[in-house]
Amino acid sequence: MLAQFPRVRRVLGEVKADNEASVRAFRRAGFAQTEAAGPAGGLTFVWIAAPAA
């Protein structure tokens, strides 16, 4: 993603709490679950880019 969108530093995603496959996919992709519920009441995940060296 950073190759095409180098200025993106943070990505949010929301999945339904009962969608176990999506929850696993987000975690494997490096997203961390936040404590806040998303706008639709699902689980919210965040990915934050590593600081540039």
Side-chain angles (χ1 to χ4, degrees), residues 12-44:
L12 292 175
E14 182 178 0
V15 299
K16 293 180 180 179
D18 62 352
N19 188 336
E20 295 176 20
S22 290
V23 170
R24 282 193 307 273
F26 268 77
R27 288 185 176 142
R28 278 194 307 260
F31 283 74
Q33 187 175 342
T34 68
E35 292 189 23
L43 301 175
T44 302

